[in-house]
Amino acid sequence: MKKFLATAVALAVSAVVSTATLAHTNSIGYVGDGNGGLNFWYGSWHDNTQFNEAEIKIIRPDGSTSIDAFNLLSQDSPAGLISGVNFFSSDGTQLIPYDPNAQHPMGMPMESYTWQGLNYTGLVTGQYTFVYIPLGDAESSFPNQSPTADWDPMDQVIRSLTINLTQGDLNGDANNNGILDINEVAAGSASGGPTVVSQGSSQVIGYIAVSGGVIQVVHRTQTDSTWDNMSDGTTQNVQTTSTALPDWTGRIDQIATGNQMLSIANRSLNFDGVNAIGNMNTMNNGMTGGVNGVTFGGTRDLGNGLSVGVGAGRLQARVRDNGTADVESTLLNLHGSKQVAQGVVNFALTHAMNDYATTRTIGDFTNSGATAGTDTWATATFIGNGERVRPVLGITRGVRQVEGYAEAGSAQTARTVATSNNWYTYGTVGAQATIKEGITAQALHHTDGVDSLSLVVKKDLEKDATLTAGVTRSVSDSGATNSIIVGLVKKF
């Protein structure tokens, strides 16, 4: 009797172990292919299974059925299987979200390593039931065979799945989050790996600004990145591409252009009496603008052909187009003349105190700056004797300083500009011609590349006053200038 009981117990244990050993088909799922089709999958505990087995029965919304053999085989979990959405296992009583760490009441292994499947085409939305038909089943094409351990169902629950197939399922987006399931869960990720919950992207444009001479160049590179945000808070599948964008270029010589405009205006300043000046400048660098202001002063005759005088003035230079520069220039002047046998020698020493404000734009960036500076120059000019035509010779020596400054505005293009000290010297040669009494024409060439032609009209008024009006056209390598000067000299 004891021997029989021991044998019975051994057989019972053997049957349980045998059932657990054979019951290795343990997961079920489906993935839409985006074209109205569906790949239906069953997973097995067995790793590296190299054959298909069993069949699957489909019951369609209209009640029609068909049974087909599995013909897809994968050693990795198929892409697109999302636990609890379109991928399930069994706890012995109902289907549950696939979890390789879940516990089965009969101790069945819950992780799948090999999958077999079948592709269905032409499906429509509605309720479907999929039934697993193992070998030996009454509906099997081989009812007299037995299932292998690889593809024997773990329990009866895992054999059947009823779903309401939606358009999202057929489109391959079973959880309707706008991400294709096959992109959300990669092949081989179903066994416990994190899933894609969203996708991210960024676009970053890098800038490198290079300044040289009168031009700044901004080299631009666009970096585009995409990535998957995973359910565990990490990111995966980072993809990055870099593209060189067209350079931005812009001029940085607004203050220098303002100084060029002032340099033209300063050559014809008169500090005797009260004088109004107006210049219109068109520069070859694309900038335009002008200089306007007033000078005043007086001259005293010391006798013996010698006279001296002092004066002051205020000029405003405006640079526009291709950036801006505003220059406020305050001038102090000491001047005089000496009659000699061959003509007259004029001399002058002028000191200008300049305040600068500038703005510029390059691409999407804007910068501004403010600084101060000085310009000091001495001029000696000889005008020869002549009833109608008189030679003109001269020399000018000066130094212009602009203090250093740091630009405000866009950090990507902001510059730190060093203090500059520029000495300059130029000679003057030309001639004056009296066209008729009170009307004088003058043509001058300056060795720094400036040529000018002017016409001056003087009219004596009552009470020892003289009205002067003149126009000048100046041309240089940097641009062209039209000038008007109107002055009034009163003798006391």
Side-chain angles (χ1 to χ4, degrees):
M1 184 65 176
K2 292 182 179 180
K3 181 177 180 182
F4 171 78
L5 290 175
T7 302
V9 171
L11 289 173
V13 172
S14 175
V16 172
V17 173
S18 175
T19 301
T21 302
L22 294 175
H24 286 166
T25 297
N26 59 1
S27 64
I28 182 173
Y30 59 93
V31 180
D33 63 9
N35 298 307
L38 199 74
N39 289 332
F40 205 92
W41 296 98
Y42 265 94
S44 169
W45 161 260
H46 277 262
D47 193 9
N48 200 31
T49 299
Q50 299 296 320
F51 60 91
N52 291 109
E53 181 183 294
E55 297 160 292
I56 187 167
K57 176 181 179 180
I58 181 171
I59 305 174
R60 298 177 177 84
D62 61 2
S64 63
T65 65
S66 63
I67 298 177
D68 301 282
F70 289 101
N71 57 16
L72 303 176
L73 192 66
S74 176
Q75 303 302 320
D76 291 318
S77 60
L81 291 176
I82 304 172
S83 177
V85 176
N86 58 358
F87 192 30
F88 306 93
S89 186
S90 167
D91 66 0
T93 60
Q94 63 182 348
L95 292 177
I96 61 173
Y98 174 80
D99 181 358
N101 298 312
Q103 300 296 316
H104 192 277
M106 296 177 63
M108 302 296 183
M110 300 293 281
E111 187 164 9
S112 298
Y113 292 95
T114 302
W115 285 259
Q116 64 174 344
L118 180 69
N119 177 253
Y120 290 101
T121 60
L123 301 184
V124 297
T125 59
Q127 180 173 291
Y128 290 80
T129 298
F130 298 88
V131 181
Y132 185 83
I133 308 296
L135 295 178
D137 187 268
E139 294 186 282
S140 172
S141 299
F142 305 95
N144 297 320
Q145 296 186 16
S146 298
T148 65
D150 299 76
W151 297 116
D152 190 18
M154 69 188 299
D155 55 33
Q156 292 301 307
V157 175
I158 201 66
R159 289 188 57 190
S160 177
L161 173 65
T162 298
I163 57 174
N164 285 313
L165 203 62
T166 67
Q167 192 60 49
D169 293 321
L170 296 174
N171 291 339
D173 185 13
N175 57 0
N176 295 308
N177 66 351
I179 304 173
L180 288 177
D181 299 333
I182 58 175
N183 292 332
E184 190 167 350
V185 179
S189 297
S191 297
T195 62
V196 178
V197 296
S198 64
Q199 291 177 309
S201 64
S202 69
Q203 183 181 90
V204 177
I205 299 180
Y207 304 91
I208 299 177
V210 179
S211 301
V214 298
I215 295 292
Q216 184 180 61
V217 179
V218 177
H219 303 295
R220 302 186 298 149
T221 301
Q222 176 178 307
T223 302
D224 295 288
S225 299
T226 60
W227 60 87
D228 294 331
N229 296 312
M230 310 305 292
S231 58
D232 63 354
T234 63
T235 58
Q236 294 183 12
N237 192 30
V238 178
Q239 304 291 326
T240 301
T241 60
S242 295
T243 305
L245 301 178
D247 292 340
W248 287 339
T249 61
R251 299 194 69 90
I252 55 176
D253 56 342
Q254 290 78 15
I255 287 179
T257 300
N259 283 331
Q260 290 172 347
M261 293 181 179
L262 284 172
S263 176
I264 299 297
N266 291 339
R267 297 169 197 241
S268 56
L269 295 180
N270 184 1
F271 290 92
D272 193 15
V274 179
N275 305 274
I277 304 104
N279 287 11
M280 295 176 290
N281 302 82
T282 301
M283 311 304 288
N284 293 336
N285 60 9
M287 300 181 196
T288 61
V291 178
N292 62 79
V294 62
T295 62
F296 56 90
T299 302
R300 182 177 182 81
D301 188 353
L302 300 180
N304 199 27
L306 180 64
S307 64
V308 295
V310 295
R314 180 77 169 176
L315 300 180
Q316 296 177 328
R318 298 289 182 265
V319 179
R320 297 295 183 266
D321 302 319
N322 233 329
T324 71
D326 296 322
V327 189
E328 302 289 337
S329 183
T330 301
L331 303 102
L332 301 176
N333 172 265
L334 175 65
H335 60 272
S337 64
K338 173 64 176 177
Q339 292 285 342
V340 295
Q342 295 82 9
V344 60
V345 176
N346 298 314
F347 55 87
L349 176 64
T350 306
H351 178 68
M353 295 163 285
N354 301 328
D355 292 315
Y356 302 92
T358 180
T359 64
R360 64 185 184 89
T361 299
I362 179 169
D364 295 336
F365 303 131
T366 300
N367 297 98
S368 62
T371 187
T374 60
D375 193 358
T376 304
W377 68 96
T379 300
T381 304
F382 170 74
I383 303 175
N385 294 326
E387 184 176 349
R388 294 188 62 84
V389 179
R390 296 166 295 279
V392 179
L393 298 172
I395 188 169
T396 299
R397 173 70 168 169
V399 59
R400 182 182 300 114
Q401 180 191 71
V402 178
E403 296 177 3
Y405 61 96
E407 288 183 326
S410 302
Q412 295 89 340
T413 52
R415 299 176 303 135
T416 298
V417 182
T419 297
S420 62
N421 287 280
N422 296 315
W423 285 89
Y424 56 91
T425 303
Y426 59 86
T428 302
V429 59
Q432 286 182 353
T434 300
I435 298 176
K436 59 182 298 185
E437 185 178 355
I439 302 176
T440 303
Q442 181 173 262
L444 300 177
H445 169 71
H446 304 282
T447 58
D448 62 349
V450 179
D451 296 313
S452 64
L453 181 63
S454 61
L455 183 67
V456 177
V457 177
K458 290 186 178 182
K459 177 68 175 178
D460 290 330
L461 305 176
E462 296 179 359
K463 300 180 180 180
D464 297 324
T466 302
L467 178 65
T468 302
V471 295
T472 302
R473 170 71 173 178
S474 300
V475 178
S476 68
D477 294 337
S478 60
T481 303
N482 295 319
S483 306
I484 298 176
I485 298 178
V486 178
L488 179 64
V489 178
K490 174 69 176 178
K491 295 181 181 180
F492 296 95

